[in-house]
Amino acid sequence: MPPHLTETWSTTYVQTLIALLVFALGMPPLIYQLSLPREIGRVAQRQGVRAWRYVVFAVSASALASLAFIWFLHFSHRCFYGRFWDFVGAALVTAVVILVGFPWVRIMLLSSPEALAGRIGRNSIRGFARTGGLVERSLGDLAVLGAWCTAGDEKGRVLATYTEIARVVQSAKGYRGAELVDVIRGIETTLTSKDHPGADSNLITGCDILSSIRQRAANAESDRDSVEAGRAIGRLGSFAGSILAESTAFALLQAMGTDRRAIMGLGLSALATDRFLVALAALNQLESLEEREANLVAGKSSELLGLLAYFWTKGGSSRLRAEAYIGAAAGSFTPSFEECVLFAQRYHYQIAEYGTSDRLGEMLADIRQQKK
Amino acid sequence: MRHRVLWMEDEALSDLATLTAPIYSSGQYDLSVARDVTEGIRCLWTYEYSVVIVDIRLPPGSGQPWIDLWLASGASKPASRLGLRLLESLFDPASAAVKLPPPPLWIDPARFAVFTVEGESEVADQLCRLRIEPYRQKSARLPFTAVIDMIEQVISRQRDSVLREL
């Protein structure tokens, strides 16, 4: 038997219910939208975080609790008194607040970049185990997530997901060496996003992941992943040389190991922004590397000579450092230092690095002039 | 051919980075940095170095025996002195806290030097026992050539020793 409600009570309840619904449906989505970039919200939707389910739940639950409140308490107001019914009333009001808030808290947790990265990683690995291939859409979502999440922990979680995916794919028997192109590009996007670049620690982690992808791909049937990872490290170097803290640039340089293009890229961007110690460390690393591996021959020392040419044409002390190296090592180049510079000039021209090619030309002209 | 140098120092790429500038400028050294004991051991077992400069207060890195040693000293770099423990493992294995596999043949006290914040009196006995001589204390007014000077000192001692043998 429903309780008898007077007009005044009915109006009060309806007004309260409407206010509650407006709050339940309006405020949390507003907070949700303000706290998450729209792009990440879309990724959450595509990854199956269905907000409408929680809205339906919130509305139904709060409506039920409100009805219960009216039914029992209004009715009991006439028939029952006492602490028990006070408690029931308080419990129902509290339940309404919790039931309205809970779904939104749940949505926020499921839509956090960390949770989404974990979800995408699990789905990708499951999909790979099932079909032997990575789902392009999931990797696309992970790339968007990486580009839009904040530097530090969030990007760290996205990178950890990429690490796990790469590890699973590369340890699979059927790995051919060309399956990780989207993963490599995603890592690069995560770190070099224009609006949300990675933190220093993220860049070092990213460089380590790319290096290990490259190492593991070295003996695969196709060299696509290896080449792509090398290029990504190179672009990372160029990106990092001018923006990173000196200590991080050094750490990145260490992580680059023998990746000549990456070292050259980092050295060039450091030199362009007058971060001479970093640029010098990069030059020294290339010099040591080529001497150690007996690569002072035409065709194998193009990155070293390219960076050296930038030092030369920068003038002043940078040029002195380049002259000192050439004075000491020119005799070790085979067939001759000039031949090696000419080869490097052609090489950089062919890969459309005209700036480097021109500087090599300038350096060679200066050296010839000095000889006269 | 440039000399390969390993500097085991956790602050080599940050607070002490300026000390690397003369090394890079000289163009005579191939410098590697190990920022903890585990990384240092990996380097020592992988490449041959002409000079190894060790800091006494090194962090443990990921190697479990070194982490245990560090934790046993209250997770303190000054108390655990892992750099010294490493030198003991290399040159006095009988009394070392951490036993390492036999080190590569090139590892010799004559190639090692110590660059640390500890005063000479605090470590002199141990270094003497381990036959490591070049030592320099870190201080606020450190000349920027401190590390390259040590490198050159070790190399010139090696050269003198070879000449004496001849």
Side-chain angles (χ1 to χ4, degrees):
Chain A
M1 184 69 182
H4 175 72
L5 291 174
T6 63
E7 193 180 327
T8 315
W9 273 111
S10 302
T11 312
T12 308
Y13 283 135
V14 167
Q15 280 176 348
T16 312
L17 268 176
I18 288 172
L20 185 72
L21 281 176
V22 168
F23 175 78
L25 294 174
M27 281 301 285
L30 189 67
I31 296 168
Y32 178 77
Q33 280 181 355
L34 288 175
S35 63
L36 266 187
R38 191 184 296 169
E39 286 73 11
I40 296 183
R42 284 189 191 139
V43 169
Q45 279 179 355
R46 283 198 295 271
Q47 287 300 317
V49 181
R50 306 268 182 242
W52 63 266
R53 286 183 193 166
Y54 295 98
V55 174
V56 169
F57 175 80
V59 171
S60 317
S62 53
L64 274 175
S66 306
L67 276 176
F69 183 88
I70 298 165
W71 191 284
F72 287 112
L73 290 184
H74 197 89
F75 182 65
S76 71
H77 183 69
R78 289 183 295 153
C79 304
F80 305 102
Y81 292 94
R83 289 190 167 200
F84 175 73
W85 290 105
D86 289 347
F87 175 77
V88 171
L92 281 170
V93 171
T94 310
V96 170
V97 174
I98 291 172
L99 287 169
V100 167
F102 165 75
W104 291 105
V105 172
R106 181 88 182 122
I107 291 172
M108 292 289 282
L109 289 176
L110 287 176
S111 307
S112 71
E114 286 96 334
L116 284 173
R119 178 187 278 240
I120 295 172
R122 283 190 299 276
N123 289 344
S124 299
I125 289 166
R126 247 182 256 138
F128 182 77
R130 224 178 19 248
T131 64
L134 290 170
V135 184
E136 210 170 295
R137 202 185 68 166
S138 291
L139 291 179
D141 281 347
L142 195 56
V144 172
L145 191 63
W148 282 91
C149 65
T150 54
D153 288 347
E154 288 186 1
K155 282 197 190 284
R157 184 68 187 86
V158 172
L159 290 172
T161 304
Y162 277 126
T163 310
E164 188 56 16
I165 294 172
R167 191 190 60 74
V168 168
V169 172
Q170 290 193 300
S171 52
K173 270 188 178 174
Y175 176 63
R176 293 177 52 248
E179 289 89 332
L180 291 175
V181 174
D182 287 338
V183 167
I184 293 164
R185 288 183 187 156
I187 293 170
E188 195 185 334
T189 309
T190 301
L191 297 169
T192 59
S193 156
K194 201 176 173 188
D195 296 321
H196 305 275
D200 290 7
S201 58
N202 298 141
L203 281 154
I204 293 171
T205 309
C207 190
D208 284 341
I209 302 169
L210 291 168
S211 298
S212 81
I213 288 177
R214 198 179 183 197
Q215 277 166 16
R216 287 198 297 253
N219 298 322
E221 192 182 322
S222 162
D223 65 352
R224 188 132 185 249
D225 286 348
S226 176
V227 169
E228 199 63 39
R231 284 185 185 151
I233 295 173
R235 287 190 288 266
L236 217 56
S238 309
F239 173 78
S242 56
I243 63 152
L244 285 183
E246 206 167 69
S247 57
T248 316
F250 279 124
L252 196 59
L253 209 49
Q254 289 238 116
M256 285 172 177
T258 59
D259 205 307
R260 292 160 175 82
R261 291 204 60 74
I263 299 168
M264 180 187 167
L266 197 148
L268 287 184
S269 56
L271 193 63
T273 48
D274 291 350
R275 306 178 76 184
F276 294 110
L277 186 53
V278 175
L280 186 59
L283 180 65
N284 206 71
Q285 191 158 326
L286 280 176
E287 289 169 354
S288 306
L289 191 61
E290 304 307 13
E291 279 182 29
R292 206 187 308 144
E293 298 188 2
N295 276 342
L296 298 179
V297 292
K300 287 190 172 176
S301 50
S302 300
E303 283 80 15
L304 164 63
L305 292 172
L307 183 55
L308 200 65
Y310 273 91
F311 266 75
W312 181 284
T313 52
K314 182 92 177 168
S317 302
S318 305
R319 179 166 168 154
L320 280 179
R321 176 61 177 77
E323 281 178 348
Y325 175 71
I326 293 168
S332 312
F333 282 80
T334 311
S336 70
F337 182 71
E338 279 197 27
E339 287 290 325
C340 290
V341 174
L342 279 171
F343 189 96
Q345 194 183 0
R346 279 198 300 277
Y347 164 77
H348 287 290
Y349 175 79
Q350 279 164 355
I351 58 170
E353 288 178 351
Y354 293 160
T356 310
S357 183
D358 292 345
R359 277 167 178 79
L360 281 159
E362 279 178 51
M363 180 172 79
L364 196 57
D366 288 346
I367 290 171
R368 283 174 176 162
Q369 186 72 31
Q370 279 178 356
K371 278 185 181 170
K372 282 179 189 171
Chain B
M1 196 69 180
R2 49 186 78 199
H3 294 283
R4 219 169 171 153
V5 177
L6 176 65
W7 186 14
M8 292 193 203
E9 167 63 67
D10 54 327
E11 290 173 346
L13 303 178
S14 50
D15 294 352
L16 301 177
T18 47
L19 300 183
T20 60
I23 303 171
Y24 293 135
S25 289
S26 76
Q28 290 177 38
Y29 304 104
D30 178 1
L31 178 70
S32 303
V33 170
R35 282 167 290 175
D36 56 60
V37 179
T38 311
E39 199 183 339
I41 292 171
R42 194 167 49 241
C43 290
L44 292 174
W45 259 254
T46 312
Y47 304 109
E48 178 177 346
Y49 296 93
S50 304
V51 181
V52 181
I53 298 177
V54 182
D55 176 25
I56 296 290
R57 299 182 178 187
L58 279 173
S62 56
Q64 199 53 51
W66 301 100
I67 294 175
D68 293 343
L69 211 56
W70 182 64
L71 291 175
S73 318
S76 146
K77 282 197 290 178
S80 56
R81 292 179 157 196
L82 293 187
L84 193 59
R85 300 283 94 82
L86 170 65
L87 293 173
E88 285 170 352
S89 297
L90 292 172
F91 302 121
D92 186 13
S95 65
V98 176
K99 308 287 179 206
L100 294 173
L105 291 174
W106 67 265
I107 290 188
D108 183 279
R111 299 194 188 205
F112 281 68
V114 168
F115 182 47
T116 184
V117 85
E118 269 83 5
E120 192 162 13
S121 58
E122 295 174 73
V123 287
D125 289 348
Q126 288 101 321
L127 294 184
C128 182
R129 182 166 51 87
L130 299 170
R131 291 169 291 129
I132 294 169
E133 215 167 286
Y135 157 88
R136 180 151 203 165
Q137 186 178 11
K138 289 180 198 164
S139 63
R141 288 173 178 267
L142 208 58
F144 66 93
T145 56
V147 177
I148 195 169
D149 288 346
M150 289 194 84
I151 293 170
E152 283 168 358
Q153 194 185 346
V154 173
I155 287 174
S156 100
R157 280 164 54 86
Q158 287 172 17
R159 203 179 295 128
D160 292 348
S161 149
V162 170
L163 286 174
R164 268 200 305 276
E165 281 174 19
L166 287 174

